[in-house]
Every structure is written in structure tokens, then in C-alpha cells.
Amino acid sequence: MQSVQQSLEFLSRLASEGPVATLAAAFAEAGYELALVGGPVRDAFLGRPITDLDFTTDARPDDILRIVTPISQAQWDVGRAFGTIAARIDGESVEITTYRSDVYDGRTRKPEVEFGDTLEDDLTRRDFTVNAMALRLPELKLVDPSGGMDDLIAGVLRTPGAPERSFGDDPLRMLRAIRFSAQLGFRVDVDTAVAISELRDTIEIISVERIKEELSKLLKTDAPRRGVELLVESGLADLIIPEIPALQLEIDEHHHHKDVYQHSLTVLDQAIDLERSRHPGSPPDLVLRLAALLHDIGKPATKRNEPGGQVSFHHHDVIGAKMARKRLRALRFDNDTIAAVSRLIELHLRFFGYTDGAWTDSAVRRYVRDAGDQLERLHILTRADVTTRNRRKADRLQFAYDDLEERIRVLAEEEELAAVRPDLDGNDIMRILDIGPGREVGQAYAYLLEVRLDEGPLPREEAEQRLRAWWASRA
């Protein structure tokens, strides 16, 4: 966190130019109050980049729209019922919302919207004290009725009022507390944490789409591990994504195995580190992070105690892929995300056979083919899945995967692995065999693809001979 003086100087510069200055002048001239509020003020004091400009005012929506129309390039009033008008001013998007003092019925998170009269009352209805600070414009006066600055300095998340009432009004705030804890690196106040645990069942009134959105935002933070731990500790994970707390398998005195829950969190950490090092500057990869967190969820269902104190989890990759597909579908993730995550989980053990004996070029081709467009993510997930404390074993696995990636690179240059296809296409097959479209064409294509994977590219004449021989053998 940077000093208060540095933050105020930054906010002063922000308010003296661009859309902030334009809006401040327009609202002052019209005789209305205006304040920069919430996230932008918080992030200015934390020294974090400001990505959104949110304002609040005593002007009603119709007045807001009247004021911003002459100074903006575009306006959107889809949030008018909630008091929000959006606009593009000086090339930036802004949102201006009328002071509110909402009333909740306890059955849904949608309040009966009531407009308020003062900035202080508007701030005290917000989710957390660190988000309940505002900067009055144009005078640059900090308004902090709930002690948000003290909590910002202490690194604490706390609700402006009683947490039971805040979460009772809007249970989604429980997930937001967990997400902000991970995003800002703050600890959740004890009373706030207790309220989350006690009220966790009320999350059921929140739409699945909103839950999915908060879970996604959590996983896309720089360090989501603590947020996942809070989900589990609070009991919210049991209601949202129960496969994660289920990873906390009991270990008895006779049968020992790695702590699957802690292992999964470590894999998530390591996947994020590899994601950043291999693709610096790229946005957070939600598919990779979901796959890392869920890659072992098939273990509880496949756990077997073996003779000699060993524990096995045979086929947990296949079972886990099915479980992930079911859970992500229930959370309303899109089909592409579901397919990619489940495919990565299904394939995440494939590499470990590489160290048992040298793979043929055919095996390498199949690895690439099966991974398809998820190959780079599979590289990262497989490397992240090595959490052993045995340095020699870890080095051996790393060197083996280095070798596999190099072989893939060489074969890709020689054979265009990313687009492996048979040496003859469907039209060639029908012409050579003198057959029309049908099941036999697909079977012939599959045969030629297997030959291509086993032996690499063949001269066209040889491929034609192999096809005719295969067709004759069928007859």
C-alpha cells in the first residue's frame, strides 16, 4: 500500500484531467453532487491499476442522462431502473449511479430500489468498508463513514454494518468477501467469517450464473489459493463445488497417501507460476486453473486400500473428467470450457508412462493428436502435477518432460503435427476404392490415420497401395 499522501496526489491528478474532470465540472455546473466511489478509490490507495470509473450522485437517472449526453460520445441506460447510467466520455467508459438506500426482502438478492439523499447513507449500504469510501468532486474530499481507510491499512475485510444483516440482504457478498480476500491479499474479519459460515445456506437463493461468475473471478486472481481455502473452511464449497472439500481424504494408520486436497492446491499454484513464466503478459487462463484445481477429483471415488499399506486410485483420470463435466455443466459454464477442462483432466496422467520406457514417435504423435488444441495447457498441467519432495524424482520427471516437448517440437517441424491427417482425403478414398459416401469411407479414413500416426507421412503411391491392401483384406 502506498502512502496516503501519494494516493491523494494520484487522485488529484486523476480528477484534474480526462472524464473525471469533465464529469465533475458538468455536475457542479448543474448543481448536483458527484463522487468517485468504491473500487477506484480503494485501488488508488493500494497502488493498484484503476480499471473502472464508478461515480455516485444525488441526481436522479433522468438528470444524469441529461447532464452526460452533451459531454459524452455514447450513453447506455439499461441500468436506469437501478439508478445507473453508463456513458463513454473522453474515450473511457464510466458509470454514474444515484445514491441508494435499498430494501431487501430476504428471499432474493434483488432489492426494492429506493434512491437515497446523502453520500454517507449510500456508502454504509455497500458490501465492505474498503469499498465504502468515496472522493467528493471537484473538492477532492475523502468520505469514509465506516473506517474503510483503517481496514485498508490493516488489510482487513469487514462489512460496514453487522455482517449478518449485510449477508442476509445479499448472500452473494459472502462469495465476494472470499474473492476480495484472494484478490487483495486481505484477511476476513473474524465476525465476518463467522457470519459467512452461519449463513452459508442462504447462497442457494443466488442464481447459478452469478455464483459461476464469482468463482471464475476468484480463480483468475493472482493468488486464488487462499480464496479456495476460505470456500472450503466456510462450508460454502460444500454447496457450490463439493468435489473440492471431498478431496480431504482420511488417512488411517495403515494406509498412507499424499494429501490430495493440499496437492491440488499446490498444483493450482504451480500451474499459475508456469502460466506466467511461459506466457508473460497474457490474461489469466481460467480453463487451465479449473483443470489444475479439479484434476484429481476422481480420487475419492476410486480410492482402494491395497495390500502392504499402499493406496490406489485406478482410472481417477477418466472418472474425474466425467465428474468435472457434470459439475461445470451444473455451474453453467460454456460448452467449450467444459470440453477443454474435462479433456485436460482425462489426459493429465498420460505423460507418466513416458518415464517407464522410451516412447516411439507413434506414441508422441498420438499424445499430440489426443491433446489437440489443449496441448500447451496439458504441458503446463502435467508439469504442475509434480509436487513430490523427492528432488531426484522431481528432476527426473522434469528432464523427461523437457525431452518430450523437444521431440514434439522436432516432429512438428518435420511433419506438421498440429494438423495430422491421413495421406489421402475422403475424395481420394472414394475415387481409389470406387465407392460413394458412407460408413466405409470413414473406416478407411480411420485406418489411414492410424498408419499416419504409427509411421509418419507416406508417399502418396504407398498410401494408395496400403489402402487397396486394407480394402482387399476386408473383402
Side-chain angles (χ1 to χ4, degrees), residues 131-185:
N131 295 334
M133 298 184 292
L135 188 71
R136 284 192 185 274
L137 301 169
E139 58 266 40
L140 299 181
K141 178 184 177 181
L142 182 66
V143 182
D144 179 17
S146 304
M149 182 59 68
D150 291 337
D151 288 342
L152 204 64
I153 294 171
V156 173
L157 277 176
R158 183 172 57 86
T159 57
E164 297 82 6
R165 177 172 180 178
S166 180
F167 298 147
D169 285 346
D170 184 0
L172 187 65
R173 289 173 175 173
M174 297 186 292
L175 287 180
R176 286 171 59 83
I178 289 170
R179 191 246 299 177
F180 278 125
S181 177
Q183 180 178 320
L184 303 176

Side-chain angles (χ1 to χ4, degrees), residues 79-99:
R80 182 195 290 261
F82 298 95
T84 300
I85 301 295
R88 179 168 293 279
I89 300 175
D90 297 336
E92 292 192 46
S93 294
V94 302
E95 287 190 355
I96 309 103
T97 302
T98 303
Y99 298 156

